[in-house]
Amino acid sequence: MRKYYLLAPGPTPVPPETLLAMANPVIHHRTPEFEAVVAEVKGALKELFMTNNDVIIMASSGTGGMEAAVSNFLCRGDKAIVVRSGKFGARWAEICSAFGVNPIIIDVEWGKAVEPEAIANILKREKGVKAVYTQASETSTCVVHPIREIGAIVGQHDNTIMVVDGITGIGVFPVLSDEWELDVVVTGSQKALMLPPGLALISVSEKAWRLAKDSDLPKYYFDLAKERKNLNKNTTAYTPAVSLVIGLRESLRRMKEEGLDNVFARTDRMARAARAAAPAMGLELLAPESPSNCGTAYKVPEGIDGTLLCNTLNEKYAVTLAGGQDSLKGKIFRIAHMGFIEPFDLLIGISAVEAGLKDMGHPIELGKGVAAAQAILWEK
């Protein structure tokens, strides 16, 4: 028997208390009992998103939330700026194209953050841009984008909304939706919220709701106005993922008990520890200049296949990390440090990386990466 360690940047581990809550008998979703759950969750979500706006709860992956963030606010032929800096920035562009929205692409080198001035320049040059789409944290590269600065730029344009994929941002570091003028923020259940995949959560500003009134793109299940109307009655338009919403209540209670500032500080310390381990192991970071606290992306040493390394760790040590995607496949590996991942879990992951590299013939001194991480984790 082996203990399994899930250290990929989604899905992430689920706390036992949350699993037990979801294992209770399913209740009907059109009952006062479930309405009480929704009422508690929607209040806690406003605190998490740092907003006074409604946060819509939908049975969907995060990608469903991203689709809703296009189809509910734009019209066919509209122009939208899209930051394409990784796998999920590219997804924004693909969704826009699928709905007949014209994406104005800002291509950013994978591992780098977008320059806010690039967005400001396009907004000055192009008339009628309806939305700016970016990530708070690009999961595929573990890069954080300057969404506060971008939000301030977009906020100067009355008919342009700022839309953020916060799937590895919400619950990882502060995302001040209202203060930073973030009109639509999307997250998913399987990251920092410590749940299985299956919920999309979307905050929407009044500025975005104004655009929604004129949207002519097709929508049925992902109709956010319909969901908002039902949310006001503490219910959902369609059958929700009942057990996941009950699990979400437990996760939000857990985060509130720890305190959001403490959650962010713990995650930040683990992120710094993971980055400190890189030079100690003789590895380079993919994103040394703008690293996200959701996870750390390490470049694979020359002569080592990153995909094979991740497979080795999974099969031999029961430790699951994530490899690179698309153009980074085989070139990087990623370790997460968000949600229900604790400092000792991170040390196990770093130790497994050292062992896996040694197994593959890479010259490495065992324990140096672990020691470097420990120095950060236990600092006073």
Side-chain angles (χ1 to χ4, degrees), residues 109-166:
E109 180 184 345
W110 288 30
K112 304 286 187 182
V114 67
E115 293 289 342
E117 292 78 10
I119 292 165
N121 290 338
I122 293 175
L123 288 172
K124 289 176 184 176
R125 183 178 72 242
E126 294 279 349
K127 302 301 181 185
V129 173
K130 289 292 185 67
V132 174
Y133 290 95
T134 187
Q135 274 61 40
S137 169
E138 173 56 66
T139 314
S140 66
T141 60
C142 298
V143 165
V144 66
H145 286 299
I147 55 172
R148 180 178 187 174
E149 291 80 1
I150 299 169
I153 291 167
V154 177
Q156 299 172 25
H157 299 263
D158 292 339
N159 297 311
T160 308
I161 57 172
M162 172 71 174
V163 185
V164 177
D165 164 6

Side-chain angles (χ1 to χ4, degrees), residues 326-347:
D326 288 354
S327 63
L328 292 177
K329 187 175 179 63
K331 298 178 181 178
I332 66 167
F333 64 91
R334 295 170 290 149
I335 186 168
H337 27 72
M338 60 181 159
F340 189 52
I341 295 174
E342 298 287 343
F344 280 109
D345 298 320
L346 179 63
L347 293 177

